[in-house]
């Protein structure tokens, strides 16, 4: 029996070698370090990928093993293939090598091997950014496909304990005594009196941060702007975002859906969400966002020019734009945005104390459509005649002309020497404009409106890069969005004191612009380097940063912001694993994990200790994947429900800040 088993294992190993050799012929199945990406191959098998099937069919041994011949065709044995590549004896990149196979089965397969119930989290959860780190270390997409019960999901998304709180103002950094809750400001913006009015920078997983914000800011955010990781069909070129482009479209959409669903709950009635997205992912995201926000709540798509064009591109066509998808949560008869216009008003003796301006006196109707408005208007003072246009008639009729003239509404060219007009205009008083309170429409005509001109000419990545260069140097962050882009958006969709949220804060542009424009902001970021950049940038803003839009808005410094972190538990081990540079470092982390980490219920810690030589034989990346897979993803951060648990290690100061934030003082 022992020889039989050994022969079986050797045969399986040879078949595995043959399979690996074939799979490496397809570049999409191979990582940068030459390893076969098993999770990609498994997904291809489930989808009956023609590419995968062709590779298997051209090898006689693989064809005989994984296909069955019927009377008319060969049938792919999908289950047999998936079971083979999941065998731990043959492929060492399994995440569950040191976990017992205990769980529900359906048709002889564990539930987490099927597609019925699955909550998918990417490696380090929100780190689908691939090479967003300073060193641009591109990595393969890694997923923990854990089947979770509803109570586990609820636990995962509970509000988290807050730590490392600090207040920054013109005088530097301070301890936080309490959060500001300005009742007068909240009354002006229609929010309950106890809403926090501090600007916030929060470090932590952005999905979990959004859930932690829901209790305090649910239904209160006027504008959400996000610049998430883009989806790329192919590897991005050097002048695009340094995001990982190897992840599947379905994975990226799940990643986005989880966050947009909670973002919708944070949005104030009549608020808007602006999603910056590239060409490859835009149309897929549009369909999904229609489902989340409602197709009838889609406001529009706006182009943003990212560069001035380049050669040597596919099809000889340079795609120089990315896009902004805009959604709201109200019907289309509600004005969710508008442009403020600097108007010229005149003060004249005939209307003392009542400034007025000129208004168009024509209407977009033809002579045929509105015959009573197609007439020659005569100036009663000079008898000069002003015929109507057949294509654009007067806004008043022949019958109502005298009424409007008598009340002073109609202004003729000869009425005032300072006017340089050649036809009659209407008169609009300033108090009428003020009482109306309605902003002008945002029109997507790039020849007319400054809004779109700004998006097309002044909001390129190179402008944002230059702003970062001035502040910190280019090495700090590549492809930052320019301040003028955010200013343009905030100008048309928010008013002073409105709350603005960016949960992919990146280089901190949204927060910096919101601060200068007197909007309250919440910026969420997880990556250490970028969180540090956010804080440094906002400190510069408080100290009177002169870059970006500072001159336009006459920024002179001032204000404050509060820095907070979600208190890590298992997340700190994941961060340490991610930063480790050697196997020895990982083994040391493993020893710490055994003493303090929360593990998945089926982990056999002793088995890893017993198989340490096998563990050492794995690549460094595989070792990292394996250690991370053992951790309970429900315990990335400390839940407020566990705040009094001694094992959580929550200090009295952290308890005080957490209770203050959630209004439990």
């Amino acid at each position: 029996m022992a020889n039989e088993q050994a022969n079986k294992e050797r045969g399986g190993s040879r078949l595995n070698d043959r399979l690996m050799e074939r799979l490496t012929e397809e570049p999409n199945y191979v990582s940068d370090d030459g390893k076969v990406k098993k999770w990609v191959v498994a997904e291809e098998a489930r989808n009956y990928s023609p590419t995968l099937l062709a590779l298997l069919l051209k090898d006689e041994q693989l064809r005989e093993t994984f296909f069955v011949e019927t009377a008319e065709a060969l049938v792919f044995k999908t289950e047999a293939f998936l079971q083979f590549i999941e065998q731990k004896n043959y492929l060492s990149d399994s995440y569950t090598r040191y976990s017992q196979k205990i769980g529900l089965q359906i048709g002889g397969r564990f539930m987490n091997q099927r597609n019925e119930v699955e909550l998918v989290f990417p490696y380090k959860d929100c780190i689908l950014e691939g090479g967003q780190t300073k060193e641009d270390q591109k990595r393969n997409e890694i997923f923990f496909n854990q089947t979770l019960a509803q109570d586990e999901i609820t636990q995962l998304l509970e509000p988290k304990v807050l730590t490392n709180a600090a207040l920054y103002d013109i005088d530097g950094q301070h301890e936080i005594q309490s959060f500001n809750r300005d009742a007068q400001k909240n009354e002006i913006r229609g929010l309950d009196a106890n809403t926090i009015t501090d600007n916030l920078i929060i470090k932590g997983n952005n999905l979990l941060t959004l859930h932690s914000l829901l209790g305090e800011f649910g239904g209160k955010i006027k504008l959400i702007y996000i610049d998430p990781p883009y989806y790329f069909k192919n590897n991005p070129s050097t002048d695009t975002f340094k995001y990982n482009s190897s992840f599947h479209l379905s994975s990226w959409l799940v990643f986005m859906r989880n966050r947009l669903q909670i973002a919708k709950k944070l949005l104030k009635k009549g608020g808007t969400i602006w999603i910056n997205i590239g060409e490859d992912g835009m149309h897929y995201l549009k369909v999904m966002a229609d489902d989340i926000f409602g197709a009838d709540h889609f406001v529009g798509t706006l182009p943003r020019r990212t560069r001035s064009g380049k050669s040597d591109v596919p099809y000889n066509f340079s795609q120089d734009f990315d896009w902004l998808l805009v959604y709201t949560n109200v019907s289309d008869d509600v004005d969710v945005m508008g442009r403020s216009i600097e108007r010229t008003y005149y003060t004249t003796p005939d209307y003392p104390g009542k400034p007025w301006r000129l208004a168009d006196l024509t209407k977009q109707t033809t002579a045929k459509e509105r015959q009573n408005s197609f007439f020659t208007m005569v100036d009663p003072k000079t008898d000069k005649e002003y015929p109507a246009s057949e294509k654009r008639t007067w806004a008043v009729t022949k019958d109502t002309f005298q009424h409007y003239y008598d009340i002073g509404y109609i202004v003729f060219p000869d009425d005032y020497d300072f006017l340089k007009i050649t036809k009659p205009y209407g008169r609009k008083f300033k108090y009428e404009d003020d009482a109306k309170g309605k902003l002008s429409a945002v029109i997507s005509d790039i020849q007319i409106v400054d809004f779109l001109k700004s998006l097309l000419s002044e909001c390129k990545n190179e402008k944002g890069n230059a702003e970062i260069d001035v502040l910190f140097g280019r090495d700090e962050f590549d492809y930052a969005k320019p301040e003028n882009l955010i200013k343009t958006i905030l100008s048309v969709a928010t008013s002073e004191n409105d709350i603005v949220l960016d949960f992919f804060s990146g280089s901190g542009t949204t927060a910096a612009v919101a601060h200068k424009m007197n909007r309250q902001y919440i910026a969420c970021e997880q990556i250490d380097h970028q969180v540090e950049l956010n804080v440094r940038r906002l400190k510069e803003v408080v100290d009177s940063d002169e870059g970006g839009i500072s001159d336009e808005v006459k920024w002179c410094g001032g204000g404050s912001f509060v820095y907070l972190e979600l208190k890590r538990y298992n997340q700190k081990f994941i961060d340490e694993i991610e930063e480790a540079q050697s196997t020895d470092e990982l083994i040391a982390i493993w020893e710490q994990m055994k003493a303090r980490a929360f593990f998945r219920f089926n982990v056999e810690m002793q088995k890893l200790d017993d198989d340490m030589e096998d563990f050492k034989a794995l690549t460094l990346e595989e070792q990292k994947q394996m250690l991370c897979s053992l951790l309970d993803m429900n315990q990335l951060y400390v839940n407020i429900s566990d705040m009094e648990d001694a094992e959580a290690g929550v200090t009295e100061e952290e308890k005080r800040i957490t209770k203050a934030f959630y209004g439990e003082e």
Side-chain angles (χ1 to χ4, degrees):
M1 288 295 291
N3 288 337
E4 181 181 346
Q5 179 64 26
N7 289 334
K8 182 177 180 181
E9 290 184 0
R10 281 195 295 272
S13 180
R14 287 194 295 270
L15 180 63
N16 177 69
D17 292 342
R18 198 175 191 90
L19 175 60
M20 293 301 102
E21 182 181 352
R22 286 300 182 193
L23 293 176
T24 54
E25 296 176 12
E26 170 53 47
N28 290 332
Y29 298 163
V30 183
S31 64
D32 292 341
D33 59 3
K35 299 291 185 181
V36 171
K37 296 187 284 190
K38 187 193 72 172
W39 60 95
V40 174
V41 176
E43 186 68 17
E44 292 277 274
R46 294 186 183 98
N47 293 327
Y48 300 99
S49 163
T51 301
L52 175 62
L53 297 181
L55 284 176
L56 299 177
L57 285 169
K58 72 179 184 180
D59 186 288
E60 183 177 354
Q61 184 178 359
L62 298 178
R63 184 173 63 250
E64 291 177 355
T65 303
F66 298 118
F67 292 84
V68 61
E69 187 172 357
T70 65
E72 298 181 355
L74 287 173
V75 178
F76 181 43
K77 296 192 290 186
T78 313
E79 298 301 320
F81 180 80
L82 290 173
Q83 288 174 12
F84 180 82
I85 66 170
E86 289 174 356
Q87 289 182 65
K88 311 307 180 281
N89 290 335
Y90 304 135
L91 291 178
S92 61
D93 65 349
S94 168
Y95 306 143
T96 56
R97 183 174 179 181
Y98 300 108
S99 300
Q100 293 178 324
K101 282 292 184 180
I102 301 174
L104 296 175
Q105 288 190 347
I106 302 175
R109 294 181 61 209
F110 289 102
M111 188 178 290
N112 63 1
Q113 293 178 322
R114 304 175 65 98
N115 296 323
E116 282 84 349
V117 181
E118 196 169 81
L119 182 64
V120 181
F121 281 93
Y123 185 45
K124 207 175 175 186
D125 190 43
C126 76
I127 307 301
L128 259 183
E129 55 20 273
Q132 268 192 109
T133 60
K134 183 178 177 182
E135 294 79 14
D136 188 24
Q137 297 175 340
K138 294 185 183 297
R139 54 179 169 267
N140 302 313
E141 183 186 29
I142 304 162
F143 279 83
F144 298 114
N145 299 308
Q146 296 186 14
T147 304
L148 300 179
Q150 182 59 48
D151 59 339
E152 292 178 304
I153 298 172
T154 302
Q155 181 185 17
L156 177 72
L157 301 178
E158 271 189 31
K160 308 304 177 190
V161 171
L162 300 171
T163 187
N164 292 334
L167 171 70
Y168 293 86
D169 61 19
I170 197 71
D171 296 319
Q173 180 179 340
H174 313 276
E175 291 185 2
I176 295 180
Q177 301 306 315
S178 63
F179 291 93
N180 288 312
R181 300 175 186 269
D182 189 326
Q184 184 176 4
K185 182 182 291 187
N186 284 323
E187 182 180 4
I188 292 173
R189 56 190 186 176
L191 303 180
D192 66 82
N194 290 322
T195 301
I196 290 175
T197 50
D198 289 299
N199 297 314
L200 303 174
I201 295 179
I202 305 177
K203 178 183 178 181
N205 171 291
N206 64 357
L207 177 62
L208 306 187
T209 300
L210 291 176
H211 281 274
S212 295
L213 290 171
L214 188 59
E216 178 68 21
F217 293 101
K220 298 178 182 180
I221 308 295
K222 183 62 182 294
L223 181 139
I224 300 173
Y225 168 84
I226 56 172
D227 181 23
Y230 286 8
Y231 165 74
F232 294 107
K233 288 191 295 187
N234 302 303
N235 289 331
S237 57
T238 56
D239 63 343
T240 54
F241 296 96
K242 292 184 177 179
Y243 292 151
N244 181 11
S245 62
S246 65
F247 48 79
H248 293 303
L249 174 61
S250 58
S251 304
W252 178 76
L253 288 172
V254 169
F255 170 80
M256 291 299 299
R257 184 179 186 85
N258 288 340
R259 285 149 180 81
L260 292 179
Q261 285 176 325
I262 187 66
K264 177 183 178 182
K265 297 179 181 179
L266 289 162
L267 205 59
K268 184 179 182 180
K269 199 70 173 175
T272 54
I273 180 168
W274 302 63
I275 310 170
N276 223 134
I277 192 63
E279 178 77 9
D280 289 349
M282 181 186 71
H283 304 287
Y284 300 106
L285 184 62
K286 168 68 167 63
V287 173
M288 187 178 73
D290 278 352
D291 180 58
I292 294 171
F293 296 100
D296 54 338
H297 291 155
F298 174 61
V299 176
T301 306
L302 295 168
R304 185 187 73 96
R305 191 158 196 168
T306 58
R307 63 187 182 191
S308 299
K310 64 176 294 185
S311 57
D312 190 24
V313 289
Y315 303 109
N316 202 28
F317 179 80
S318 184
Q319 176 53 261
D320 307 321
F321 291 83
D322 60 15
W323 308 90
L324 285 158
L325 297 180
V326 187
Y327 286 85
T328 186
N329 51 14
V330 290
S331 59
D332 59 11
D333 60 351
V334 178
D335 298 327
V336 297
M337 65 180 75
R339 293 181 301 124
S340 295
I341 297 178
E342 295 295 328
R343 293 188 169 103
T344 300
Y345 290 95
Y346 305 104
T347 301
T348 54
D350 47 347
Y351 294 99
K354 297 172 64 176
W356 54 272
R357 63 175 174 86
L358 295 176
D360 191 4
L361 196 57
T362 63
K363 191 172 183 180
Q364 197 170 351
T365 52
T366 65
K368 184 176 181 180
E369 293 171 326
R370 204 161 185 256
Q371 296 181 13
N372 203 28
S373 292
F374 182 61
F375 67 98
T376 297
M377 196 176 291
V378 179
D379 184 346
K381 296 178 182 177
T382 65
D383 290 331
K384 288 184 180 180
E385 297 182 348
Y386 300 93
S389 166
E390 288 190 9
K391 295 183 178 180
R392 190 175 181 92
T393 60
W394 297 119
V396 299
T397 67
K398 185 185 301 184
D399 299 330
T400 60
F401 165 77
Q402 192 62 45
H403 166 73
Y404 283 108
Y405 179 76
D406 290 341
I407 64 174
Y409 178 70
I410 299 174
V411 180
F412 284 98
D414 294 320
D415 286 349
Y416 302 96
D417 293 338
F418 59 83
L419 291 179
K420 306 298 180 183
I421 56 177
T422 58
K423 64 178 183 179
Y425 276 81
R427 189 194 314 267
K428 197 80 170 180
F429 292 102
K430 186 176 184 301
Y431 71 83
E432 294 177 303
D433 288 333
D434 294 342
K436 193 173 184 181
K438 181 180 179 181
L439 297 173
S440 296
V442 177
I443 307 169
S444 57
D445 186 330
I446 62 174
Q447 301 301 318
I448 297 176
V449 182
D450 290 339
F451 175 71
L452 262 295
K453 286 183 181 179
S454 175
L455 287 178
L456 290 167
S457 63
E458 300 176 23
C459 297
K460 299 176 187 174
N461 288 336
E462 61 192 46
K463 189 173 180 67
N465 294 339
E467 292 167 358
I468 293 297
D469 282 347
V470 171
L471 286 170
F472 309 114
R474 175 64 62 83
D475 287 343
E476 295 292 348
F477 194 89
D478 279 348
Y479 310 110
K481 293 295 185 289
E483 289 195 7
N484 194 63
L485 168 66
I486 308 301
K487 174 182 176 292
T488 300
I489 294 170
L490 297 191
S491 295
V492 302
T494 66
S495 301
E496 289 195 357
N497 297 316
D498 280 339
I499 307 177
V500 176
L501 169 65
D502 184 346
F503 53 90
F504 289 99
S505 187
S507 65
T509 301
T510 303
V513 173
H515 195 111
K516 294 176 184 179
M517 295 181 68
N518 196 27
R519 273 68 169 170
Q520 182 182 343
Y521 56 86
I522 304 171
C524 308
E525 184 54 67
Q526 177 171 355
I527 302 172
D528 289 343
H529 154 250
Q530 292 175 202
V531 173
E532 293 167 5
L533 180 58
N534 272 245
V535 174
R536 288 168 58 195
R537 186 168 187 177
L538 267 297
K539 287 168 64 178
E540 292 274 355
V541 171
V542 170
D543 292 338
S544 190
D545 156 38
E546 297 179 357
I549 65 167
S550 293
D551 284 344
E552 296 176 57
V553 299
K554 298 179 174 58
W555 177 246
C556 298
S560 64
F561 65 93
V562 172
Y563 174 78
L564 299 166
E565 294 180 9
L566 304 189
K567 185 173 178 62
R568 298 177 302 163
Y569 202 91
N570 277 355
Q571 183 65 51
K572 64 186 175 185
F573 293 113
I574 292 178
D575 292 341
E576 291 172 6
I577 291 168
E578 178 71 7
E579 296 298 323
Q581 299 297 313
S582 69
T583 298
D584 288 342
E585 287 183 54
L586 291 176
I587 292 174
I589 294 170
W590 166 241
E591 293 300 322
Q592 297 174 27
M593 288 169 59
K594 287 192 294 183
R596 304 200 309 273
F598 284 109
F599 292 96
R600 295 171 61 185
F601 75 94
N602 56 350
V603 170
E604 294 182 295
M605 290 186 286
Q606 186 59 46
K607 186 171 177 57
L608 177 54
D609 285 334
D610 293 342
D611 294 348
M612 188 53 67
E613 292 306 313
D614 290 343
F615 176 80
K616 293 178 180 178
L618 302 175
T619 66
L620 185 65
E621 190 63 29
E622 289 170 340
Q623 291 170 354
K624 290 183 177 183
Q625 296 168 16
M626 187 166 292
L627 287 184
C628 286
S629 72
L630 305 180
L631 293 165
D632 183 354
M633 293 297 113
N634 295 301
Q635 302 293 339
L636 292 176
Y637 298 88
V638 180
N639 294 335
I640 56 172
S641 59
D642 297 325
M643 190 161 55
E644 301 300 333
D645 188 334
E647 288 189 30
V650 181
T651 67
E652 291 303 316
E653 176 63 13
E654 289 169 341
K655 292 178 183 178
R656 186 183 69 81
I657 290 297
T658 300
K659 290 178 180 178
F661 182 84
Y662 294 112
E664 299 176 7
E665 291 180 298

